[in-house]
Amino acid sequence: MAMVAIATVRIRNLFAVVMLSGIYSLLAASLFVLLDAVDVALTEAAVGAGIMIILMLGALALTTSQEKVRANRQSLAALVIVMITGGALIYGTLDMPLMGDPEAPAHTHLAPHFTQQSVEEIGIPNMVTSVLASYRGLDTLGEAVVVLTAAVGVLLVIGSGRARKRGHRRKVMERQADS
Amino acid sequence: MRHHVVLRIVTNIMIPLIVIYALYIQFHGEYSPGGGFQAGIIFAAGFVIYSLIYGLDVAQEAIPPEVARFLAAFGVVIYIGFGLATILLGGQFLEYKVLLADDQAGETLGIIGIELGVGVTVAAVALTLFYAFAGREQD
């Protein structure tokens, strides 16, 4: 995954970059499967490796497929800021509980309730669905609205994209020329 | 790409499978991984393949962009509708167990309902985005 990420940053051909980001998503999905998070893996595979590639290719068709290379100005200040931020983040992970630690705060507060009683309370075996749709129903509503907002934003910026027939467009232009 | 026989035949076989798989993910989400979000994306992906092979205008005759836009908002309306229904039945917003006499059945009904709302919204939004990018000609 790290190699794919570095390649994604370095390569200038945007078509290859889109494909690499799809590969990255697929690797991430495999990682989630290994961590037993199949719901997340399914989402990552469907969105990251599937529909996102199509949308990126659609966006590429509207621009060029080659990144413009600008004069390579490397700022020392930027390097220092990135080093400090990265260092702070790594320092922050030192306090986090080890992966799979049963005493971690995330596993002692609400998680036991979800894992042990959700089947009785909700009556469906998939806990992820119970948490998403019932215990955290309001959050999921927020997500649905976010998705809708994204569509509204795209529609406002680049239009609804009804496939226009050329003849129709010419007719419209003639009509405009007449009036 | 309609004249590529192999592509056309293969997609004709694939598309029904993809759509049925999306519906399976949608309505089997309580028992296996999945749910409205994933199902919506997979459904849209099946439709994107269709329009890649048969052309955008043919696909837009099947699901016009206006319909996709309407469905995107309609899914959220389904979701909120379930929330309001629980309020009308005396519960809190999205407290599904008041929907039916049996608590578990009520919860399950509520979850299926809002997952349907999420699925409809996500599929319609993915289609709308695809239409928006693919339908724009390069200036």
Side-chain angles (χ1 to χ4, degrees):
Chain A
M1 276 176 86
M3 276 165 58
V4 175
I6 292 170
T8 310
V9 176
R10 299 297 300 180
I11 288 180
R12 295 279 171 226
N13 185 342
L14 294 177
F15 185 77
V17 168
V18 171
M19 290 303 145
L20 279 173
S21 71
I23 294 174
Y24 186 84
S25 285
L26 205 58
L27 288 176
S30 328
L31 182 67
F32 291 140
V33 172
L34 288 180
L35 293 172
D36 274 349
V38 269
D39 279 271
V40 189
L42 186 57
T43 314
E44 180 69 41
V47 178
I51 208 87
M52 195 198 76
I53 304 294
I54 302 273
L55 294 181
M56 294 291 247
L57 289 180
L60 270 191
L62 299 179
T63 65
T64 57
S65 66
Q66 201 71 22
E67 188 177 344
K68 274 184 201 149
V69 182
R70 272 172 292 165
N72 219 351
R73 284 179 297 133
Q74 279 165 342
S75 144
L76 193 67
L79 182 68
V80 171
I81 291 173
V82 168
M83 295 288 269
I84 291 175
T85 318
L89 287 174
I90 291 173
Y91 177 71
T93 61
L94 295 181
D95 280 343
M96 280 174 54
L98 289 173
M99 193 180 120
D101 182 4
E103 300 299 315
H107 297 154
T108 54
H109 180 46
L110 276 172
H113 179 86
F114 289 155
T115 48
Q116 285 157 24
Q117 281 157 35
S118 75
V119 176
E120 277 171 45
E121 283 182 0
I122 314 288
I124 60 175
N126 186 355
M127 287 170 234
V128 179
T129 305
S130 329
V131 172
L132 270 183
S134 185
Y135 295 113
R136 294 282 176 267
L138 209 55
D139 292 2
T140 309
L141 174 61
E143 278 168 32
V145 175
V146 165
V147 169
L148 178 63
T149 315
V152 172
V154 169
L155 287 182
L156 286 177
V157 173
I158 69 175
S160 68
R162 184 176 248 299
R164 292 190 197 89
K165 300 199 172 71
R166 286 185 188 280
H168 172 70
R169 177 178 267 188
R170 200 176 304 135
K171 237 177 274 170
V172 171
M173 285 167 78
E174 279 167 8
R175 211 175 299 149
Q176 283 171 344
D178 286 344
S179 61
Chain B
M1 281 187 262
R2 214 172 310 188
H3 51 279
H4 291 288
V5 179
V6 176
L7 274 181
R8 205 179 60 221
I9 301 292
V10 170
T11 47
N12 276 349
I13 299 171
M14 289 288 288
I15 289 171
L17 288 179
I18 294 176
V19 172
I20 287 179
Y21 183 60
L23 292 177
Y24 167 78
I25 297 263
Q26 170 85 51
F27 292 108
H28 210 256
E30 304 97 81
Y31 301 99
S32 56
F37 194 85
Q38 295 91 332
I41 292 290
I42 294 173
F43 185 87
F47 213 81
V48 166
I49 294 179
Y50 179 76
S51 73
L52 285 181
I53 299 298
Y54 289 93
L56 195 63
D57 43 344
V58 181
Q60 291 192 340
E61 274 171 26
I63 302 185
E66 295 83 24
V67 174
R69 264 178 281 160
F70 171 77
L71 285 176
F74 187 66
V76 176
V77 170
I78 294 178
Y79 201 131
I80 296 175
F82 268 87
L84 293 181
T86 56
I87 290 183
L88 288 180
L89 290 170
Q92 290 179 327
F93 187 64
L94 296 174
E95 189 186 6
Y96 313 120
K97 57 187 172 199
V98 297
L99 285 174
L100 293 176
D102 182 33
D103 275 6
Q104 281 195 0
E107 289 274 6
T108 310
L109 175 68
I111 288 176
I112 290 176
I114 65 138
E115 291 280 8
L116 187 66
V118 173
V120 169
T121 294
V122 170
V125 164
L127 264 187
T128 306
L129 294 185
F130 175 70
Y131 283 164
F133 279 110
R136 225 178 113 107
E137 290 162 37
Q138 194 160 18
D139 295 324

